[in-house]
Amino acid sequence: MELPIDHFRLLGVSPSAAPDAILRSLQLKLDKYPDKGFTKEALADRAELLKLSSDLLVDKKLREEYETALLAGASGLEISFNREVAGIILLWEAEAALEAFRLSCKALHPPQ
């Protein structure tokens, strides 16, 4: 599944954010999570996706490669099938409700 969002937006930081700002944002997101309506597994997957995004943006070399890919036209984040719910939660939290709704509908009605 591809999430129509980049790592910066997922963490709620600007592309010019310094590593310490990224880590603060990560911690805030980890501390504030939806506590009702989701399984422990979905919330753990959400936390893992946030950590992976943070790790990428804090690592200078990985971030440069990612930014180069973005400038070349890359869009969206690829996540595994078993993390779809976590991805939809993160889209909702990033104020991308329409995208979250569309992906939810797509997940509920897979192609036959």
Side-chain angles (χ1 to χ4, degrees):
M1 166 193 250
E2 184 176 312
L3 293 181
I5 193 170
D6 62 61
H7 291 289
F8 297 105
R9 192 166 159 217
L10 189 99
L11 287 167
V13 297
S14 77
S16 62
D20 60 329
I22 292 167
L23 294 174
R24 273 194 310 275
S25 181
L26 169 66
Q27 194 57 55
L28 287 172
K29 289 197 172 282
L30 292 176
D31 290 345
K32 183 181 178 184
Y33 59 91
D35 59 349
K36 294 184 182 182
F38 299 103
T39 64
K40 288 182 182 180
E41 180 182 68
L43 294 175
D45 287 342
R46 172 193 171 271
E48 185 62 27
L49 289 172
L50 287 168
K51 289 176 187 172
L52 290 171
S53 285
S54 174
D55 290 347
L56 181 138
L57 295 179
V58 169
D59 183 290
K60 186 176 179 172
K61 184 176 188 286
L62 292 175
R63 182 173 175 163
E64 286 174 359
E65 291 171 1
Y66 177 66
E67 288 173 343
T68 300
L70 283 178
L71 291 173
S75 64
L77 304 176
E78 192 64 38
I79 62 169
S80 61
F81 172 76
N82 61 338
R83 290 186 169 167
E84 283 181 342
V85 173
I88 291 169
I89 293 169
L90 290 169
L91 279 175
W92 184 267
E93 291 175 344
E95 299 179 6
L98 181 59
E99 291 93 340
F101 176 74
R102 286 180 178 154
L103 286 176
S104 297
C105 289
K106 192 176 187 182
L108 291 171
H109 301 287
Q112 298 184 7

